[in-house]
Amino acid sequence: MQDLFSSPAPEPDLAHLEALKRSLHEHAHRYYVLDAPTIPDAEYDRLFKALQAIETQHPDLTTPDSPTQRVGGKPLDQFVSVRHAVPMLSIKTETDTEASGAENFDGRARRELGLDESAPAVEYVAEPKFDGLAMSLRYEHGVLVQAATRGDGEMGEDVTQNIRTIGQIPLRLPGTVPPVLEVRGEVYMRRDDFERLNEKQRERGLKTFVNTRNAAAGAVRQLDPSIAAQRPLSFYAYGLGEVTPVEAGGPAFGSHFEMLQTLKNWGFPVSELVQIARGATELVAYYQFIGAQRDGLGFDIDGVVYKVNSLVLQRRMGFVTREPRWAVAHKFPAQEQLTTVLGIDVQVGRTGKLTPVAKLAPVFVGGVTVTNATLHNEDEARRKDVRIGDTVIVRRAGDVIPEVVGVVLPAEGAERGALFTMPRSCPVCGSAAVREAGEVDYRCTGGLFCSAQRKQAILHFAQRRAVEVEGLGDKLVDQLVDCNVIKTLPDLYRLGLTSLAGLDRMADKSAQNIVEALEKSKQTTLPRFLFGLGIRHVGEATAKALARYFGKLDAIMDAPEEQMLLVNDVGPTVAQSLRTFFDQPHNREVVAQLRACGVTWAEGPPAPVLATPFSGQTFVITGTLPTLGRDEAKDLIEAAGGKVAGSVSKKTTYVVAGTEAGSKLAKALELGVTVLDEQGLKELLDDHS
Ligand code: IVH
């Protein structure tokens, strides 16, 4: 109520208010949909606050389509059911993942259209099949009035409050749109947003989401819109529901593609991957093209959708039950499957690291049969709460190793196995297993006493990228270690024909081959030998850099940590690990014996080069840094061997962002490029100086 004695709020300038709203809508569209903002975030915030101030003084001027009204709805007790004015259909699914999947659809379409072989190719629109959930957005006179889920196709749920929080969805459309307009499309979560969300969940000790679709569905079905607002969602438009008919002044589209272009012009996100395809050949090409891009896209898709482009032809083809005859969803091979956990094994790595591995009932996923999936470490296994007997979702995308993404919630009250606990002794040698402070891994303390570590140390030394002993595989190494023929690495070179030929299933010829391969492996190079020793944190590149810098093995073995730090690629962890290794008399003894057995390499003069820690790395500086000027920051980076570029791309290593950082920062976040502030840059430089 207006207090009689306080001065009345000033008369609002309606034209100014309208201009503010229009400007904010415009910039939100540029930011969220076009990904090309033209003002800094701070300027957007300033405009936003100005509008908020006016609306606080004149609440009656606040309209539902105001940019301030995206968040702020009250929590609901339940969702209200709504009837779709035009039912939301589903599409026939083609699971044949060969070219024939597309060819069959084209064949059917031609038959239904009565086209003979001489008739020209049918024109289709090919689109990604987004892996989210279908949404119907209803606009009346250009204002978003309702967002509803698909439900059973006839009745859905009103989730307007949650959908308003999606920046990509316009709250208000340009004046040219028809009075009634229902836009249909997919609400989904980008992969980078998903990763960030799960990271946050982990930090807060909350359960992580299994995949982007579940995360998106969970957000849409949140009763509290303030929670939904914290779950970053995106949207792609792909169709229409009820629209003012042509006779009543509605739009007259000739084709699906034309309709999508119009939706884009009205401010809706339409995927850049949508294409026109003529005939089966181009459908197949599209399927393969998108299939090849699949793992690199910013979002999950589970196939592609083909639609007859001409709306006249679509009408002629009509529907069978709830599915249009003019469209089909051509699926890709599944990247997720359900299976059962048969057991949880603990494996011992080369450096003694204990890794829990889920043993799974064999399942075909992402193109291979999976029987094992790493659970990484105890914390991860417990966080995922994977237990023996559980039904789990296994995912294998691209060439990534298969992983258990989550447990399918067991029925309430169902008996479950015990929560995983890492054994406190090594399952192979019985030595104590310890987890050092600040580490996630337990390690077997048995060292080369542990046969598991010995086996892997030998395999590591004998691998192609190390000294390479051709034909020395894991089966043979298992036997050699289990029969106690090999206790230390040098024993490898003491193997005689007789001891080899005496092993199970070892033909004379193979024994001879191994002896020859061992002989050949003695002529090696310093980097291969050094890498082959299996020192923690010393990979191939580091071994090469050390060899180049020091020239001789003895020089490396005796170098103090400070000197090692001068080598490109060597930081404190690596230097300490090298020192620890070579300070142990038994390791020096192994090296001496290998040399005594005749393992040799050429040694060169030392080639000390100044450390250029940033060589090969590209930086982009954006915004204002608190103390460093642009040029100063650039000089520092370049002095350390780095490059400074003007724009962000996948090749960018770091983005250094200060205040008022705008689109470059957004782009970095979108691409998942690491972002540093000035302090972070300085620390990076310090780490290497
Ligand atoms: S068109 C009449 N296009 O797939 C056709 N659907 O059953 C109506 N979907 O849950 C759908 N990407 O949410 C269409 N480019 C796309 C799509 C798509 C994903 C989903 C849709 C629905 C299911 C189809």
mmCIF file with all atom_site columns, all heavy atoms in Angstrom, residues 631-654:
data_model
loop_
_atom_site.group_PDB
_atom_site.id
_atom_site.type_symbol
_atom_site.label_atom_id
_atom_site.label_alt_id
_atom_site.label_comp_id
_atom_site.label_asym_id
_atom_site.label_entity_id
_atom_site.label_seq_id
_atom_site.pdbx_PDB_ins_code
_atom_site.Cartn_x
_atom_site.Cartn_y
_atom_site.Cartn_z
_atom_site.occupancy
_atom_site.B_iso_or_equiv
_atom_site.pdbx_formal_charge
_atom_site.auth_seq_id
_atom_site.auth_comp_id
_atom_site.auth_asym_id
_atom_site.auth_atom_id
_atom_site.pdbx_PDB_model_num
ATOM 1   N N   . ASP A 1 631 ? 50.054 -6.278  -22.454 1.00 0.00 ? 631 ASP A N   1
ATOM 2   C CA  . ASP A 1 631 ? 51.363 -6.524  -23.049 1.00 0.00 ? 631 ASP A CA  1
ATOM 3   C C   . ASP A 1 631 ? 52.315 -7.216  -22.077 1.00 0.00 ? 631 ASP A C   1
ATOM 4   O O   . ASP A 1 631 ? 53.087 -8.077  -22.460 1.00 0.00 ? 631 ASP A O   1
ATOM 5   C CB  . ASP A 1 631 ? 51.979 -5.225  -23.559 1.00 0.00 ? 631 ASP A CB  1
ATOM 6   C CG  . ASP A 1 631 ? 51.270 -4.753  -24.819 1.00 0.00 ? 631 ASP A CG  1
ATOM 7   O OD1 . ASP A 1 631 ? 50.588 -5.591  -25.463 1.00 0.00 ? 631 ASP A OD1 1
ATOM 8   O OD2 . ASP A 1 631 ? 51.373 -3.573  -25.148 1.00 0.00 ? 631 ASP A OD2 1
ATOM 9   N N   . GLU A 1 632 ? 52.184 -6.829  -20.812 1.00 0.00 ? 632 GLU A N   1
ATOM 10  C CA  . GLU A 1 632 ? 53.033 -7.482  -19.804 1.00 0.00 ? 632 GLU A CA  1
ATOM 11  C C   . GLU A 1 632 ? 52.727 -8.981  -19.741 1.00 0.00 ? 632 GLU A C   1
ATOM 12  O O   . GLU A 1 632 ? 53.633 -9.813  -19.717 1.00 0.00 ? 632 GLU A O   1
ATOM 13  C CB  . GLU A 1 632 ? 52.748 -6.884  -18.421 1.00 0.00 ? 632 GLU A CB  1
ATOM 14  C CG  . GLU A 1 632 ? 53.476 -5.603  -18.118 1.00 0.00 ? 632 GLU A CG  1
ATOM 15  C CD  . GLU A 1 632 ? 53.072 -5.089  -16.750 1.00 0.00 ? 632 GLU A CD  1
ATOM 16  O OE1 . GLU A 1 632 ? 51.909 -4.616  -16.622 1.00 0.00 ? 632 GLU A OE1 1
ATOM 17  O OE2 . GLU A 1 632 ? 53.874 -5.190  -15.822 1.00 0.00 ? 632 GLU A OE2 1
ATOM 18  N N   . ALA A 1 633 ? 51.432 -9.303  -19.692 1.00 0.00 ? 633 ALA A N   1
ATOM 19  C CA  . ALA A 1 633 ? 51.027 -10.708 -19.619 1.00 0.00 ? 633 ALA A CA  1
ATOM 20  C C   . ALA A 1 633 ? 51.530 -11.448 -20.852 1.00 0.00 ? 633 ALA A C   1
ATOM 21  O O   . ALA A 1 633 ? 52.047 -12.565 -20.770 1.00 0.00 ? 633 ALA A O   1
ATOM 22  C CB  . ALA A 1 633 ? 49.514 -10.814 -19.513 1.00 0.00 ? 633 ALA A CB  1
ATOM 23  N N   . LYS A 1 634 ? 51.401 -10.788 -22.000 1.00 0.00 ? 634 LYS A N   1
ATOM 24  C CA  . LYS A 1 634 ? 51.819 -11.389 -23.266 1.00 0.00 ? 634 LYS A CA  1
ATOM 25  C C   . LYS A 1 634 ? 53.323 -11.670 -23.236 1.00 0.00 ? 634 LYS A C   1
ATOM 26  O O   . LYS A 1 634 ? 53.771 -12.759 -23.604 1.00 0.00 ? 634 LYS A O   1
ATOM 27  C CB  . LYS A 1 634 ? 51.469 -10.425 -24.404 1.00 0.00 ? 634 LYS A CB  1
ATOM 28  C CG  . LYS A 1 634 ? 51.666 -10.978 -25.779 1.00 0.00 ? 634 LYS A CG  1
ATOM 29  C CD  . LYS A 1 634 ? 50.876 -10.173 -26.812 1.00 0.00 ? 634 LYS A CD  1
ATOM 30  C CE  . LYS A 1 634 ? 50.980 -10.780 -28.178 1.00 0.00 ? 634 LYS A CE  1
ATOM 31  N NZ  . LYS A 1 634 ? 51.993 -10.161 -29.021 1.00 0.00 ? 634 LYS A NZ  1
ATOM 32  N N   . ASP A 1 635 ? 54.101 -10.682 -22.757 1.00 0.00 ? 635 ASP A N   1
ATOM 33  C CA  . ASP A 1 635 ? 55.548 -10.864 -22.681 1.00 0.00 ? 635 ASP A CA  1
ATOM 34  C C   . ASP A 1 635 ? 55.927 -12.059 -21.811 1.00 0.00 ? 635 ASP A C   1
ATOM 35  O O   . ASP A 1 635 ? 56.788 -12.864 -22.169 1.00 0.00 ? 635 ASP A O   1
ATOM 36  C CB  . ASP A 1 635 ? 56.218 -9.599  -22.115 1.00 0.00 ? 635 ASP A CB  1
ATOM 37  C CG  . ASP A 1 635 ? 56.211 -8.479  -23.146 1.00 0.00 ? 635 ASP A CG  1
ATOM 38  O OD1 . ASP A 1 635 ? 55.916 -8.761  -24.330 1.00 0.00 ? 635 ASP A OD1 1
ATOM 39  O OD2 . ASP A 1 635 ? 56.477 -7.321  -22.764 1.00 0.00 ? 635 ASP A OD2 1
ATOM 40  N N   . LEU A 1 636 ? 55.250 -12.154 -20.660 1.00 0.00 ? 636 LEU A N   1
ATOM 41  C CA  . LEU A 1 636 ? 55.561 -13.254 -19.737 1.00 0.00 ? 636 LEU A CA  1
ATOM 42  C C   . LEU A 1 636 ? 55.302 -14.604 -20.399 1.00 0.00 ? 636 LEU A C   1
ATOM 43  O O   . LEU A 1 636 ? 56.094 -15.535 -20.293 1.00 0.00 ? 636 LEU A O   1
ATOM 44  C CB  . LEU A 1 636 ? 54.705 -13.137 -18.473 1.00 0.00 ? 636 LEU A CB  1
ATOM 45  C CG  . LEU A 1 636 ? 55.105 -12.057 -17.477 1.00 0.00 ? 636 LEU A CG  1
ATOM 46  C CD1 . LEU A 1 636 ? 54.061 -11.931 -16.380 1.00 0.00 ? 636 LEU A CD1 1
ATOM 47  C CD2 . LEU A 1 636 ? 56.469 -12.398 -16.870 1.00 0.00 ? 636 LEU A CD2 1
ATOM 48  N N   . ILE A 1 637 ? 54.160 -14.699 -21.084 1.00 0.00 ? 637 ILE A N   1
ATOM 49  C CA  . ILE A 1 637 ? 53.796 -15.969 -21.724 1.00 0.00 ? 637 ILE A CA  1
ATOM 50  C C   . ILE A 1 637 ? 54.785 -16.302 -22.831 1.00 0.00 ? 637 ILE A C   1
ATOM 51  O O   . ILE A 1 637 ? 55.282 -17.423 -22.934 1.00 0.00 ? 637 ILE A O   1
ATOM 52  C CB  . ILE A 1 637 ? 52.350 -15.895 -22.274 1.00 0.00 ? 637 ILE A CB  1
ATOM 53  C CG1 . ILE A 1 637 ? 51.355 -15.824 -21.124 1.00 0.00 ? 637 ILE A CG1 1
ATOM 54  C CG2 . ILE A 1 637 ? 52.051 -17.091 -23.165 1.00 0.00 ? 637 ILE A CG2 1
ATOM 55  C CD1 . ILE A 1 637 ? 49.949 -15.425 -21.521 1.00 0.00 ? 637 ILE A CD1 1
ATOM 56  N N   . GLU A 1 638 ? 55.118 -15.285 -23.629 1.00 0.00 ? 638 GLU A N   1
ATOM 57  C CA  . GLU A 1 638 ? 56.012 -15.545 -24.753 1.00 0.00 ? 638 GLU A CA  1
ATOM 58  C C   . GLU A 1 638 ? 57.428 -15.873 -24.288 1.00 0.00 ? 638 GLU A C   1
ATOM 59  O O   . GLU A 1 638 ? 58.110 -16.700 -24.887 1.00 0.00 ? 638 GLU A O   1
ATOM 60  C CB  . GLU A 1 638 ? 55.997 -14.361 -25.721 1.00 0.00 ? 638 GLU A CB  1
ATOM 61  C CG  . GLU A 1 638 ? 54.675 -14.338 -26.485 1.00 0.00 ? 638 GLU A CG  1
ATOM 62  C CD  . GLU A 1 638 ? 54.519 -13.162 -27.428 1.00 0.00 ? 638 GLU A CD  1
ATOM 63  O OE1 . GLU A 1 638 ? 55.352 -12.229 -27.351 1.00 0.00 ? 638 GLU A OE1 1
ATOM 64  O OE2 . GLU A 1 638 ? 53.575 -13.182 -28.227 1.00 0.00 ? 638 GLU A OE2 1
ATOM 65  N N   . ALA A 1 639 ? 57.839 -15.238 -23.180 1.00 0.00 ? 639 ALA A N   1
ATOM 66  C CA  . ALA A 1 639 ? 59.178 -15.532 -22.663 1.00 0.00 ? 639 ALA A CA  1
ATOM 67  C C   . ALA A 1 639 ? 59.270 -16.987 -22.225 1.00 0.00 ? 639 ALA A C   1
ATOM 68  O O   . ALA A 1 639 ? 60.335 -17.588 -22.240 1.00 0.00 ? 639 ALA A O   1
ATOM 69  C CB  . ALA A 1 639 ? 59.496 -14.610 -21.496 1.00 0.00 ? 639 ALA A CB  1
ATOM 70  N N   . ALA A 1 640 ? 58.124 -17.555 -21.837 1.00 0.00 ? 640 ALA A N   1
ATOM 71  C CA  . ALA A 1 640 ? 58.121 -18.957 -21.415 1.00 0.00 ? 640 ALA A CA  1
ATOM 72  C C   . ALA A 1 640 ? 57.844 -19.889 -22.597 1.00 0.00 ? 640 ALA A C   1
ATOM 73  O O   . ALA A 1 640 ? 57.608 -21.080 -22.412 1.00 0.00 ? 640 ALA A O   1
ATOM 74  C CB  . ALA A 1 640 ? 57.083 -19.159 -20.319 1.00 0.00 ? 640 ALA A CB  1
ATOM 75  N N   . GLY A 1 641 ? 57.861 -19.323 -23.809 1.00 0.00 ? 641 GLY A N   1
ATOM 76  C CA  . GLY A 1 641 ? 57.736 -20.162 -24.999 1.00 0.00 ? 641 GLY A CA  1
ATOM 77  C C   . GLY A 1 641 ? 56.316 -20.329 -25.506 1.00 0.00 ? 641 GLY A C   1
ATOM 78  O O   . GLY A 1 641 ? 56.083 -21.066 -26.467 1.00 0.00 ? 641 GLY A O   1
ATOM 79  N N   . GLY A 1 642 ? 55.340 -19.678 -24.877 1.00 0.00 ? 642 GLY A N   1
ATOM 80  C CA  . GLY A 1 642 ? 53.956 -19.827 -25.308 1.00 0.00 ? 642 GLY A CA  1
ATOM 81  C C   . GLY A 1 642 ? 53.587 -18.840 -26.404 1.00 0.00 ? 642 GLY A C   1
ATOM 82  O O   . GLY A 1 642 ? 54.328 -17.900 -26.682 1.00 0.00 ? 642 GLY A O   1
ATOM 83  N N   . LYS A 1 643 ? 52.441 -19.091 -27.019 1.00 0.00 ? 643 LYS A N   1
ATOM 84  C CA  . LYS A 1 643 ? 51.942 -18.179 -28.045 1.00 0.00 ? 643 LYS A CA  1
ATOM 85  C C   . LYS A 1 643 ? 50.704 -17.483 -27.501 1.00 0.00 ? 643 LYS A C   1
ATOM 86  O O   . LYS A 1 643 ? 49.949 -18.073 -26.736 1.00 0.00 ? 643 LYS A O   1
ATOM 87  C CB  . LYS A 1 643 ? 51.521 -18.968 -29.289 1.00 0.00 ? 643 LYS A CB  1
ATOM 88  C CG  . LYS A 1 643 ? 52.612 -19.124 -30.308 1.00 0.00 ? 643 LYS A CG  1
ATOM 89  C CD  . LYS A 1 643 ? 52.052 -19.320 -31.730 1.00 0.00 ? 643 LYS A CD  1
ATOM 90  C CE  . LYS A 1 643 ? 50.859 -20.212 -31.861 1.00 0.00 ? 643 LYS A CE  1
ATOM 91  N NZ  . LYS A 1 643 ? 50.944 -21.216 -32.882 1.00 0.00 ? 643 LYS A NZ  1
ATOM 92  N N   . VAL A 1 644 ? 50.481 -16.224 -27.925 1.00 0.00 ? 644 VAL A N   1
ATOM 93  C CA  . VAL A 1 644 ? 49.263 -15.543 -27.509 1.00 0.00 ? 644 VAL A CA  1
ATOM 94  C C   . VAL A 1 644 ? 48.419 -15.307 -28.756 1.00 0.00 ? 644 VAL A C   1
ATOM 95  O O   . VAL A 1 644 ? 48.893 -14.731 -29.731 1.00 0.00 ? 644 VAL A O   1
ATOM 96  C CB  . VAL A 1 644 ? 49.577 -14.209 -26.799 1.00 0.00 ? 644 VAL A CB  1
ATOM 97  C CG1 . VAL A 1 644 ? 48.295 -13.470 -26.447 1.00 0.00 ? 644 VAL A CG1 1
ATOM 98  C CG2 . VAL A 1 644 ? 50.385 -14.472 -25.539 1.00 0.00 ? 644 VAL A CG2 1
ATOM 99  N N   . ALA A 1 645 ? 47.180 -15.795 -28.736 1.00 0.00 ? 645 ALA A N   1
ATOM 100 C CA  . ALA A 1 645 ? 46.314 -15.662 -29.905 1.00 0.00 ? 645 ALA A CA  1
ATOM 101 C C   . ALA A 1 645 ? 45.158 -14.721 -29.590 1.00 0.00 ? 645 ALA A C   1
ATOM 102 O O   . ALA A 1 645 ? 44.904 -14.395 -28.428 1.00 0.00 ? 645 ALA A O   1
ATOM 103 C CB  . ALA A 1 645 ? 45.785 -17.024 -30.318 1.00 0.00 ? 645 ALA A CB  1
ATOM 104 N N   . GLY A 1 646 ? 44.458 -14.299 -30.641 1.00 0.00 ? 646 GLY A N   1
ATOM 105 C CA  . GLY A 1 646 ? 43.384 -13.323 -30.475 1.00 0.00 ? 646 GLY A CA  1
ATOM 106 C C   . GLY A 1 646 ? 42.015 -13.937 -30.279 1.00 0.00 ? 646 GLY A C   1
ATOM 107 O O   . GLY A 1 646 ? 41.108 -13.296 -29.755 1.00 0.00 ? 646 GLY A O   1
ATOM 108 N N   . SER A 1 647 ? 41.837 -15.191 -30.711 1.00 0.00 ? 647 SER A N   1
ATOM 109 C CA  . SER A 1 647 ? 40.510 -15.763 -30.553 1.00 0.00 ? 647 SER A CA  1
ATOM 110 C C   . SER A 1 647 ? 40.592 -17.194 -30.044 1.00 0.00 ? 647 SER A C   1
ATOM 111 O O   . SER A 1 647 ? 41.597 -17.879 -30.220 1.00 0.00 ? 647 SER A O   1
ATOM 112 C CB  . SER A 1 647 ? 39.755 -15.715 -31.889 1.00 0.00 ? 647 SER A CB  1
ATOM 113 O OG  . SER A 1 647 ? 40.426 -16.542 -32.803 1.00 0.00 ? 647 SER A OG  1
ATOM 114 N N   . VAL A 1 648 ? 39.500 -17.614 -29.399 1.00 0.00 ? 648 VAL A N   1
ATOM 115 C CA  . VAL A 1 648 ? 39.455 -18.914 -28.729 1.00 0.00 ? 648 VAL A CA  1
ATOM 116 C C   . VAL A 1 648 ? 39.007 -20.003 -29.703 1.00 0.00 ? 648 VAL A C   1
ATOM 117 O O   . VAL A 1 648 ? 38.039 -19.819 -30.432 1.00 0.00 ? 648 VAL A O   1
ATOM 118 C CB  . VAL A 1 648 ? 38.474 -18.860 -27.539 1.00 0.00 ? 648 VAL A CB  1
ATOM 119 C CG1 . VAL A 1 648 ? 38.428 -20.178 -26.803 1.00 0.00 ? 648 VAL A CG1 1
ATOM 120 C CG2 . VAL A 1 648 ? 38.867 -17.741 -26.596 1.00 0.00 ? 648 VAL A CG2 1
ATOM 121 N N   . SER A 1 649 ? 39.750 -21.090 -29.723 1.00 0.00 ? 649 SER A N   1
ATOM 122 C CA  . SER A 1 649 ? 39.336 -22.235 -30.531 1.00 0.00 ? 649 SER A CA  1
ATOM 123 C C   . SER A 1 649 ? 39.675 -23.501 -29.755 1.00 0.00 ? 649 SER A C   1
ATOM 124 O O   . SER A 1 649 ? 40.162 -23.425 -28.630 1.00 0.00 ? 649 SER A O   1
ATOM 125 C CB  . SER A 1 649 ? 40.083 -22.238 -31.862 1.00 0.00 ? 649 SER A CB  1
ATOM 126 O OG  . SER A 1 649 ? 41.412 -22.670 -31.647 1.00 0.00 ? 649 SER A OG  1
ATOM 127 N N   . LYS A 1 650 ? 39.401 -24.648 -30.380 1.00 0.00 ? 650 LYS A N   1
ATOM 128 C CA  . LYS A 1 650 ? 39.701 -25.921 -29.720 1.00 0.00 ? 650 LYS A CA  1
ATOM 129 C C   . LYS A 1 650 ? 41.188 -26.041 -29.427 1.00 0.00 ? 650 LYS A C   1
ATOM 130 O O   . LYS A 1 650 ? 41.599 -26.777 -28.559 1.00 0.00 ? 650 LYS A O   1
ATOM 131 C CB  . LYS A 1 650 ? 39.284 -27.085 -30.633 1.00 0.00 ? 650 LYS A CB  1
ATOM 132 C CG  . LYS A 1 650 ? 37.806 -27.360 -30.611 1.00 0.00 ? 650 LYS A CG  1
ATOM 133 C CD  . LYS A 1 650 ? 37.546 -28.839 -30.943 1.00 0.00 ? 650 LYS A CD  1
ATOM 134 C CE  . LYS A 1 650 ? 36.063 -29.133 -30.998 1.00 0.00 ? 650 LYS A CE  1
ATOM 135 N NZ  . LYS A 1 650 ? 35.526 -29.088 -32.349 1.00 0.00 ? 650 LYS A NZ  1
ATOM 136 N N   . LYS A 1 651 ? 42.017 -25.309 -30.211 1.00 0.00 ? 651 LYS A N   1
ATOM 137 C CA  . LYS A 1 651 ? 43.465 -25.427 -30.042 1.00 0.00 ? 651 LYS A CA  1
ATOM 138 C C   . LYS A 1 651 ? 43.996 -24.584 -28.886 1.00 0.00 ? 651 LYS A C   1
ATOM 139 O O   . LYS A 1 651 ? 45.163 -24.694 -28.529 1.00 0.00 ? 651 LYS A O   1
ATOM 140 C CB  . LYS A 1 651 ? 44.165 -24.999 -31.344 1.00 0.00 ? 651 LYS A CB  1
ATOM 141 C CG  . LYS A 1 651 ? 43.809 -25.902 -32.508 1.00 0.00 ? 651 LYS A CG  1
ATOM 142 C CD  . LYS A 1 651 ? 44.887 -25.862 -33.584 1.00 0.00 ? 651 LYS A CD  1
ATOM 143 C CE  . LYS A 1 651 ? 44.525 -26.745 -34.760 1.00 0.00 ? 651 LYS A CE  1
ATOM 144 N NZ  . LYS A 1 651 ? 43.877 -25.977 -35.828 1.00 0.00 ? 651 LYS A NZ  1
ATOM 145 N N   . THR A 1 652 ? 43.146 -23.725 -28.323 1.00 0.00 ? 652 THR A N   1
ATOM 146 C CA  . THR A 1 652 ? 43.589 -22.878 -27.224 1.00 0.00 ? 652 THR A CA  1
ATOM 147 C C   . THR A 1 652 ? 43.881 -23.733 -25.988 1.00 0.00 ? 652 THR A C   1
ATOM 148 O O   . THR A 1 652 ? 43.073 -24.580 -25.635 1.00 0.00 ? 652 THR A O   1
ATOM 149 C CB  . THR A 1 652 ? 42.487 -21.853 -26.872 1.00 0.00 ? 652 THR A CB  1
ATOM 150 O OG1 . THR A 1 652 ? 42.059 -21.238 -28.085 1.00 0.00 ? 652 THR A OG1 1
ATOM 151 C CG2 . THR A 1 652 ? 43.003 -20.798 -25.909 1.00 0.00 ? 652 THR A CG2 1
ATOM 152 N N   . THR A 1 653 ? 45.039 -23.502 -25.358 1.00 0.00 ? 653 THR A N   1
ATOM 153 C CA  . THR A 1 653 ? 45.374 -24.278 -24.162 1.00 0.00 ? 653 THR A CA  1
ATOM 154 C C   . THR A 1 653 ? 44.751 -23.638 -22.927 1.00 0.00 ? 653 THR A C   1
ATOM 155 O O   . THR A 1 653 ? 44.156 -24.324 -22.105 1.00 0.00 ? 653 THR A O   1
ATOM 156 C CB  . THR A 1 653 ? 46.906 -24.362 -23.977 1.00 0.00 ? 653 THR A CB  1
ATOM 157 O OG1 . THR A 1 653 ? 47.527 -24.454 -25.250 1.00 0.00 ? 653 THR A OG1 1
ATOM 158 C CG2 . THR A 1 653 ? 47.286 -25.557 -23.130 1.00 0.00 ? 653 THR A CG2 1
ATOM 159 N N   . TYR A 1 654 ? 44.920 -22.312 -22.798 1.00 0.00 ? 654 TYR A N   1
ATOM 160 C CA  . TYR A 1 654 ? 44.360 -21.618 -21.643 1.00 0.00 ? 654 TYR A CA  1
ATOM 161 C C   . TYR A 1 654 ? 43.742 -20.291 -22.082 1.00 0.00 ? 654 TYR A C   1
ATOM 162 O O   . TYR A 1 654 ? 44.272 -19.634 -22.979 1.00 0.00 ? 654 TYR A O   1
ATOM 163 C CB  . TYR A 1 654 ? 45.449 -21.249 -20.626 1.00 0.00 ? 654 TYR A CB  1
ATOM 164 C CG  . TYR A 1 654 ? 46.119 -22.412 -19.971 1.00 0.00 ? 654 TYR A CG  1
ATOM 165 C CD1 . TYR A 1 654 ? 47.411 -22.790 -20.338 1.00 0.00 ? 654 TYR A CD1 1
ATOM 166 C CD2 . TYR A 1 654 ? 45.482 -23.120 -18.961 1.00 0.00 ? 654 TYR A CD2 1
ATOM 167 C CE1 . TYR A 1 654 ? 48.049 -23.856 -19.717 1.00 0.00 ? 654 TYR A CE1 1
ATOM 168 C CE2 . TYR A 1 654 ? 46.107 -24.184 -18.332 1.00 0.00 ? 654 TYR A CE2 1
ATOM 169 C CZ  . TYR A 1 654 ? 47.399 -24.553 -18.714 1.00 0.00 ? 654 TYR A CZ  1
ATOM 170 O OH  . TYR A 1 654 ? 48.008 -25.594 -18.101 1.00 0.00 ? 654 TYR A OH  1
#
